[in-house]
Amino acid sequence: MIKIIEILIDDILNDAAACSDLINGAVRRNPALRATGVCSDETRIFVSMEDTVTPPPEMMQYRLAELSELDRDLIASGLKSRYYAGFTTMGSFIAGNTVWALFAGPVNQPAVK
C-alpha cells in the first residue's frame, strides 16, 4: 500500500513541528508505514508513505526542518551534519531562498533542529 500525505509549504514555514506531527501520526496509527520520499510543486510537498514487509527493529520519527540557504557548500555541509547526527535525508524542497528537507531518525534520537 502507498499513502501520499500532502502538506502546504506555507504551513511548514508557519509550523514545521505540527506538519512533522502529521507524518509521525500516520506512522503511529500504522507502524508498518515508512516515509520513502518527498516530491514538491510550487505550493506543497507530497510525502510518499509505503508499507514495509517487515518493520525495522526500531520505529522511525520524521521531522521537516530547514536545511540551508541555496548554496552548494551549505547544502552539502547540512546533509553531512544531519547524517553524522544519525538522520537520513528523505527529500527536500525549496521555499524562497531556503532549502528544507524531511529527515528520518530513530524515535529515541533527539529531534532535528
Side-chain angles (χ1 to χ4, degrees):
M1 175 184 93
I2 186 168
K3 177 181 176 89
I4 306 298
I5 298 174
E6 294 183 30
I7 305 172
L8 292 172
I9 292 173
D10 284 344
D11 289 347
I12 296 167
L13 298 177
N14 288 323
D15 193 347
C19 294
S20 299
D21 286 343
L22 291 173
I23 301 163
N24 291 315
V27 173
R28 281 191 297 274
R29 286 187 300 278
N30 182 354
L33 281 179
R34 296 289 173 262
T36 56
V38 174
C39 294
S40 68
D41 63 15
E42 293 91 15
T43 62
R44 75 192 74 226
I45 67 167
F46 303 84
V47 180
S48 176
M49 307 287 291
E50 297 177 14
D51 273 331
T52 56
V53 176
T54 56
E58 54 189 329
M59 185 172 280
M60 301 298 280
Q61 69 177 344
Y62 300 95
R63 178 69 181 179
L64 289 157
E66 190 173 322
L67 179 63
S68 74
E69 297 173 15
L70 288 174
D71 177 274
R72 178 188 171 278
D73 293 332
L74 292 176
I75 293 169
S77 174
L79 292 171
K80 288 177 184 177
S81 70
R82 296 304 196 320
Y83 171 80
Y84 289 119
F87 291 90
T88 299
T89 305
M90 304 302 300
S92 67
F93 60 96
I94 295 171
N97 291 325
T98 306
V99 178
W100 283 71
L102 175 63
F103 298 97
V107 169
N108 60 2
Q109 196 79 348
V112 171
K113 297 189 187 255

